[in-house]
Amino acid sequence: MGAFVNFDLAKSRPAAGAAARSGLAFLTAGATNARKSFAVLVALFGIGLLPGIGSQAALARGPDSLADLAAQVSDAVVNISATQDFEEKSAGGPNTPGTPFDQLFQEYMRRHRKGGPDAPMPPRAERKTNSLGSGFVIDPSGIIITNNHVIADANDVTVIFDDGRKLKAKVIGKDSKVDVAVLKVKADKPLKWVKFGDSDKVRVGDWVMAVGNPFGLGGTVTAGIISARNRNIDSGPYDNFFQTDAAINKGNSGGPLFDMNGEVIGINTAILSPSGGSIGIGFATPADTVLPVIQQLEKYGETRRGWLGVHIQNVDDSIAESLNLGKIRGALVANTDPNGPAKLAGIQAGDVIVKFAGTDIKDAHELPKLVASAQVGESVPVVVFRQGKELIKTVKLGRLEDSEKKAVVQSAAATPDKSAIPTPVQKAIGMTFTDLNETSRLKFSIKREIASGVVVSDVDPDSPAAEKHIQPGEVIEEINQDPVKNPADIAKKLQSLKNDGKKLALLLVASPQGEVRFVAVALAQK
């Protein structure tokens, strides 16, 4: 270690050679003294009275060998080759088929092609794209797991085994939200398989082994530790990845991450890399996250997730203060689906969901995972914090996939009254407000589903509102959970809050596209 440190110093600071040599001597001397002290302790007390010294040193080095473990599981790890066919446009023709330009082009080509106008047109060319990934067998009958993004939109999927066999695979089901797919192959004999382990028991620092097909090279084994748990990389609504420094590269997607017992505790899914290669930051979806999805895909060919019907956001310090929530916790309901289970159960915008089916909700990221894993049609208790009190609402969960298949949200029945007398433009807390009318709708492209509220027409760049990223064109629908319909309402409500000694105003803000969120804004201008 001393030589390495001083070599680095010599490279970066060549003029400091003497200092480097003295540093090396110091480190060496320190190591000698440490060995002498250790020898004295052993001589006086015996090695048995120094618990953990030998074992900790061994753990720091890692397993002596992974050869037996690799031999045990490698036959169950496969390479996945997915092919997608694309129909090219006509040779030499850049026009979209069926358009007037394409028809003119086709007529021109018909008249001038070899063989005369009556000769048949050449067929449209096709091209293929291939993607390579990894997977693993979980059942000897031929059930194979991989990532959804490995086989998504593929026309043809081939599984390549460690012994060179190639078998066509059928896609049983796939899910983009947790990025998993279930394949089925027909083999002439039972396949070697691996089982899932308990990923909840995995701890940061545990040794793991990744097996896969990086860069199409074939079966490759790498090892490292679990660097972190519950990583959110914004790839989907249920992110809770393991982070590992075991080398994961392109082509490892869909491959297994093993614990030291040879059980799959994760599916290698993504890497963080500026170059496309491993820099020691890889991500695997935990087994306990994918197992319920795999079981549904095997049974139904699709997912069946619970649905609450709320749009939520995180609670920050200012929102917690404005709601008198105390500590930061829960998921703040920004909006409810008009026909969703939450609305029918009496949950409202502005409620903070602090407990779902007996489980405390620490932040907004936790709630979707709990709801999705619940049974469709199940009645669950939901505890909400509202106006200083905790209320229990019983919600009968719907099915998420059914809600996603419904038609686009229809425009709200109520529309602003065009005949209403416009109120004067008013300014407050660093914003300028105007009525929600036809003029403001056209100017800011505000959707009809936003039926009422007050339009922010301008924002002072040095104001607390600007710090909270409120922008012109957004609509203030409520202040401290009271609806506002015109700028005068806003001025009245803000003055009332100041008179009550409040420091923050909790605004329900809708974007022109209809996305809503709560924002706590300081009443005092800086």
Side-chain angles (χ1 to χ4, degrees), residues 78-82 131-135 146 150 212-214 216 250-255:
V78 298
N79 300 338
I80 308 288
S81 175
S131 63
L132 295 174
S134 304
T146 188
V150 172
N213 179 32
K250 291 181 179 180
N252 275 105
S253 288

Side-chain angles (χ1 to χ4, degrees), residues 204-516:
V204 173
D206 280 350
W207 283 92
V208 289
M209 182 179 76
V211 185
N213 179 32
F215 302 108
L217 293 172
T220 300
V221 175
T222 59
I225 63 168
I226 295 294
S227 307
R229 291 176 54 101
N230 301 315
R231 284 293 193 222
N232 179 9
I233 60 174
D234 292 324
S235 68
Y238 312 120
D239 283 12
N240 68 332
F241 290 98
F242 286 138
Q243 180 183 325
T244 179
D245 65 353
I248 299 174
N249 288 286
K250 291 181 179 180
N252 275 105
S253 288
L257 187 68
F258 291 102
D259 62 14
M260 293 296 100
N261 296 317
E263 296 180 343
V264 179
I265 50 95
I267 301 178
N268 301 320
T269 300
I271 60 173
L272 179 64
S273 172
S275 63
S278 174
I279 59 170
I281 304 178
F283 302 99
T285 309
D288 290 348
T289 297
V290 296
L291 259 175
V293 179
I294 290 171
Q295 290 165 355
Q296 290 181 3
L297 294 176
E298 282 191 85
K299 187 174 181 179
Y300 307 113
E302 60 184 1
T303 55
R304 298 187 177 184
R305 291 188 171 96
W307 176 56
L308 192 56
V310 292
H311 300 275
I312 57 174
Q313 67 180 80
N314 270 322
V315 176
D316 59 20
D317 288 317
S318 55
I319 289 176
E321 181 182 347
S322 64
L323 291 174
N324 296 317
L325 186 60
K327 65 179 182 179
I328 295 176
R329 58 182 175 135
L332 177 61
V333 178
N335 198 7
T336 57
D337 187 287
N339 301 309
K343 181 83 170 180
L344 297 175
I347 294 176
Q348 305 172 1
D351 287 347
V352 180
I353 298 175
V354 295
K355 187 175 289 189
F356 178 86
T359 301
D360 291 332
I361 306 299
K362 295 178 182 177
D363 55 48
H365 186 65
E366 287 189 349
L367 183 61
K369 292 181 286 187
L370 291 172
V371 175
S373 61
Q375 291 291 323
V376 175
E378 180 183 0
S379 293
V380 297
V382 179
V383 179
V384 300
F385 182 90
R386 180 190 300 169
Q387 296 179 349
K389 297 179 181 179
E390 288 191 356
L391 309 174
I392 300 177
K393 302 291 182 179
T394 301
V395 183
K396 185 177 180 179
L397 298 178
R399 185 184 173 200
L400 177 63
E401 292 78 11
D402 290 342
S403 74
E404 293 174 338
K405 290 175 184 176
K406 288 180 181 177
V408 218
V409 180
Q410 298 178 351
S411 300
T415 54
D417 185 1
K418 297 181 184 179
S419 62
I421 300 174
T423 55
V425 170
Q426 296 203 17
K427 294 183 179 181
I429 56 175
M431 292 180 282
T432 304
F433 303 102
T434 188
D435 282 314
L436 177 61
N437 52 32
E438 290 304 307
T439 302
S440 57
R441 282 189 187 279
L442 289 172
K443 179 178 180 180
F444 296 109
S445 301
I446 298 172
K447 286 190 173 182
R448 292 284 174 188
E449 63 188 72
I450 303 174
S452 63
V454 182
V455 179
V456 179
S457 57
D458 192 28
V459 180
D460 182 344
D462 297 322
S463 68
E467 289 180 2
K468 296 293 184 175
H469 308 292
I470 297 177
Q471 300 178 1
E474 294 190 309
V475 178
I476 309 299
E477 295 185 332
E478 296 178 1
I479 297 181
N480 279 44
Q481 301 180 333
D482 289 334
V484 289
K485 297 181 179 179
N486 53 57
D489 285 349
I490 285 188
K492 184 177 179 181
K493 182 62 181 175
L494 293 178
Q495 187 58 51
S496 174
L497 292 174
K498 289 179 181 178
N499 293 341
D500 291 342
K502 301 292 185 182
K503 297 180 180 179
L504 298 168
L506 185 64
L507 312 180
L508 181 59
V509 182
S511 72
Q513 293 74 38
E515 297 174 353
V516 293

Side-chain angles (χ1 to χ4, degrees), residues 52-70:
I53 291 180
S55 60
Q56 289 175 6
L59 287 173
R61 290 194 303 270
D64 289 335
S65 174
L66 295 174
D68 290 340
L69 180 60

Side-chain angles (χ1 to χ4, degrees), residues 35 51 53 85 95 125 137-139 147 174 180 247 297 304 315 367 410 441 445 470 473 525:
R35 284 194 295 270
I53 291 180
D85 295 332
N95 306 302
V137 182
I138 64 165
D139 189 279
N147 280 142
K174 55 186 179 179
V180 68
L297 294 176
R304 298 187 177 184
V315 176
L367 183 61
Q410 298 178 351
R441 282 189 187 279
S445 301
I470 297 177
Q525 189 87 18

